[in-house]
Every structure is written in C-alpha cells, then in structure tokens.
Amino acid sequence: MRDMILNTNILPNPLLGLIRSPQMRVRETDKGIIIMPVESNTSLDTIKKARGMYTDGKLSVDKFLSEKHIEEAGR
C-alpha cells in the first residue's frame, strides 16, 4: 500500500468542491484508493510545536539550564 500527499488543485471540479483543503492524502489499498483532506495544522505547525514547549521566548535556554541545574542539585 502506498501513501502520498498531493495538491487538491489537480482534481476535477466536482471532486475539488468536496475537499476543502489545499492538500490531500491519497492512500492506495487493496480495494481501491482513499482520498482524505490534509489538515493545515498537521504540516509545519506541528513540527514547530514539537520543537519545544517554550518557543514563545519567555524562557531562555540559559534560564532553563539554570533551573535544571538547581533541580538536579536538590535531588
């Protein structure tokens, strides 16, 4: 089974109206294909969120390391 991401603009108009997403996931199964919209937040936004909880700039790396050092010393 194969799985791929395609742009929805390659679809004919009747199908284009059914998928309200700029991209679609096409999955090949043994019985045919499945076309699913790709949610916009599952792309780079998810990767950016996974890079760390403190990406809003409120906690610097130095402050985080200092807090971890204090935490480890207290154990």
Side-chain angles (χ1 to χ4, degrees):
M1 286 187 243
R2 294 185 330 180
D3 198 26
M4 64 183 98
I5 304 288
L6 299 172
N7 289 329
T8 54
N9 61 1
I10 66 168
L11 292 172
N13 282 335
L15 293 177
L16 185 59
L18 296 174
I19 299 180
R20 296 174 184 91
S21 174
Q23 293 182 325
M24 62 185 167
R25 179 179 306 276
V26 180
R27 180 171 290 155
E28 181 183 16
T29 67
D30 55 342
K31 296 183 180 185
I33 61 168
I34 300 171
I35 300 174
M36 300 173 288
V38 174
E39 301 296 327
S40 61
N41 62 353
T42 59
S43 60
L44 292 178
D45 293 338
T46 305
I47 295 169
K48 288 178 183 177
K49 289 178 186 176
R51 288 187 177 156
M53 309 185 315
Y54 302 108
T55 57
D56 58 357
K58 294 180 182 177
L59 183 64
S60 69
V61 172
D62 293 331
K63 186 175 178 183
F64 174 77
L65 292 175
S66 173
E67 289 178 4
K68 290 301 280 182
H69 181 70
I70 293 168
E71 182 182 303
E72 290 293 322
R75 290 185 181 186

